[in-house]
Amino acid sequence: MAESVVRALYGKSSSLNLSSKKVKDVPKCVSRLTNLSVLLLNNNSISSLPAELLSLQHLEELNLGNNALKEIPAVLSQLESLKKLYLFSNQITAVPPGVIGGLHNLVVLNLNHNHIQRLPPEIKSLSKLQHLSVLDNKLEEVPAELGHLAKLSEINLTSNNLSLLPQQLCQCKDLTKLHLARNKLTSLPEGIRALEKLQVLDVAGNKLSMFPVEFHLLSLKELYCEGNRFVHCKPVPSVQDEEVLTLKELAARFVLREDRNRSSLIHRILPHYPYLTALLASGSCCALCQEPFLTTWLECVHFINLRKDMKMRSLQTIPVRALLCSYKCFNTDGHCYYGVVTR
């Protein structure tokens, strides 16, 4: 190991490979290699890093995978040039906000095979992050701030304890791959249709009953969804409740209809009422008549064939959620929507 460091020092090397060298403590003399851009320390027994490493201000890639770290070393927050950080297969239980908040140029973050329960809101500081992998941890939630990471193209949250995902995830418009297998998800965020670049989605081994509204409009190339609790099409008797819309719902439907007309008075004055605009933003439209509504709707499902309807290779049929504005629409002939039984 000493020979490798000396050789790199005299050769003014930009990379140093100390992987699989049975290293327990990183030699402080490594800090003298100020030209280093790549430092490989994976497959050792390292439990901490010396503070002297802050002199490596040109370091862009650091591999600390398969070591004995119980926490993310504080010195990493000083390495502002870091673009790739690998911390897989350690014993890390938490991601300190102060450390993660200083890595503004990070593009790849790999935290696989640790014991992390949550990611801090400060993750929003990683504005250049493209690949985030937290596979095989103990994540119980994902921070809403993940939605600030506009450049994210791949997220791997496989094998965690997630029961839901934040709606803000749908703001990551550059996402092409989303791996969520083997969690406890009962639903996916409504609005996932906004992920227009999404090509691969893995939700196998969860507790999903159906996919969100307009899911079938995604341009997916691969979908993995085996091992869920999808609803099935089995005829059962139904009882239709009498529909009495509240005054709030009636007014909201009127305003939403008028807002579609750009020349209407309501469309012109609505921006001056931000509270009302925010309230109406949660509205939707009927899958059948396309009329808008706010909160009163009938939950239905339709069954989508992946090959026929989504141009994928699979012959599988999946249930996709649909919202209808009333029993009047539901009772019209010629549609393929089924009411959902709740037990």
Side-chain angles (χ1 to χ4, degrees):
M1 180 184 68
E3 292 180 2
S4 300
V5 176
V6 171
R7 193 160 47 244
L9 185 60
Y10 281 100
K12 296 183 179 180
S13 178
S14 62
S15 65
L16 177 61
N17 187 349
L18 295 179
S19 59
S20 305
K21 299 288 187 181
K22 299 181 180 179
V23 176
K24 290 186 178 180
D25 298 299
V26 179
K28 294 182 180 180
C29 59
V30 171
S31 63
R32 295 168 60 188
L33 302 171
T34 53
N35 290 323
L36 275 187
S37 61
V38 177
L39 177 57
L40 307 180
L41 295 167
N42 49 301
N43 304 325
N44 286 295
S45 302
I46 298 168
S47 58
S48 63
L49 294 181
E52 286 80 1
L53 290 190
L54 63 82
S55 64
L56 305 182
Q57 288 301 307
H58 296 290
L59 195 64
E60 295 184 358
E61 179 177 343
L62 176 59
N63 193 332
L64 284 163
N66 195 21
N67 274 286
L69 295 170
K70 293 185 178 180
E71 59 184 20
I72 298 179
V75 67
L76 296 186
S77 65
Q78 306 296 319
L79 304 180
E80 297 183 359
S81 295
L82 211 56
K83 293 182 179 179
K84 298 180 180 181
L85 178 58
Y86 301 93
L87 291 163
F88 58 87
S89 299
N90 279 276
Q91 301 163 30
I92 299 168
T93 58
V95 179
V99 176
I100 206 74
L103 300 173
H104 302 290
N105 290 305
L106 212 58
V107 175
V108 176
L109 177 59
N110 186 319
L111 295 165
N112 295 346
H113 310 298
N114 280 288
H115 309 291
I116 299 167
Q117 290 188 347
R118 57 184 52 85
L119 298 173
E122 285 76 8
I123 197 169
K124 68 181 180 181
S125 299
L126 308 183
S127 58
K128 297 181 181 179
L129 196 65
Q130 297 179 21
H131 299 270
L132 173 64
S133 193
V134 201
L135 178 150
D136 184 27
N137 275 269
K138 297 181 179 180
L139 283 181
E140 298 177 352
E141 60 183 0
V142 176
E145 287 77 8
L146 208 64
H148 289 267
L149 306 183
K151 294 187 177 181
L152 269 180
S153 64
E154 183 172 350
I155 301 176
N156 193 335
L157 300 173
T158 297
S159 296
N160 279 282
N161 297 319
L162 299 172
S163 57
L164 57 85
L165 296 171
Q167 184 68 35
Q168 291 83 351
L169 187 65
C170 299
Q171 297 172 12
C172 300
K173 300 296 180 65
D174 278 352
L175 265 186
T176 60
K177 297 180 181 180
L178 181 55
H179 300 275
L180 300 165
R182 297 186 294 281
N183 277 281
K184 300 176 182 178
L185 296 172
T186 56
S187 64
L188 295 177
E190 293 294 338
I192 197 172
R193 168 73 178 89
L195 302 180
E196 297 180 350
K197 296 182 181 181
L198 194 63
Q199 297 181 7
V200 178
L201 176 62
D202 187 355
V203 291
N206 279 281
K207 299 179 180 180
L208 301 178
S209 59
M210 65 184 79
F211 287 95
V213 172
E214 296 188 340
F215 178 83
H216 57 294
L217 300 181
L218 286 170
S219 301
L220 289 178
K221 294 183 179 179
E222 299 176 32
L223 173 63
Y224 305 96
C225 58
E226 61 276 6
N228 280 280
R229 302 174 180 176
F230 292 129
V231 297
H232 299 285
C233 188
K234 295 180 180 179
V236 295
S238 66
V239 177
Q240 297 185 6
D241 299 324
E242 183 179 355
E243 289 182 295
V244 180
L245 300 181
T246 64
L247 180 59
K248 176 182 177 181
E249 181 67 24
L250 289 169
R253 293 188 179 195
F254 172 77
V255 172
L256 286 167
R257 280 196 301 270
E258 286 295 305
D259 189 42
R260 290 178 173 181
N261 181 2
R262 294 184 177 276
S263 61
S264 72
L265 176 62
I266 286 179
H267 178 76
R268 294 198 300 270
I269 67 174
L270 200 54
H272 299 288
Y273 297 89
Y275 173 77
L276 182 57
T277 302
L279 176 67
L280 296 175
S282 62
S284 188
C285 67
C286 178
L288 268 178
C289 70
Q290 301 301 309
E291 285 294 305
F293 56 83
L294 184 59
T295 58
T296 303
W297 39 262
L298 179 66
E299 184 174 28
C300 294
V301 64
H302 57 135
F303 294 89
I304 299 297
N305 181 275
L306 296 184
R307 176 174 289 185
K308 178 182 176 182
D309 300 308
M310 296 184 72
K311 312 304 179 186
M312 297 170 64
R313 294 181 180 180
S314 174
L315 290 171
Q316 187 174 2
T317 296
I318 62 170
V320 174
R321 189 171 184 243
L323 304 179
L324 272 59
C325 67
S326 64
Y327 279 113
K328 179 181 178 181
C329 275
F330 181 67
N331 289 326
T332 58
D333 296 328
H335 67 75
C336 58
Y337 299 104
Y338 299 85
V340 179
V341 174
T342 55
R343 298 186 184 278

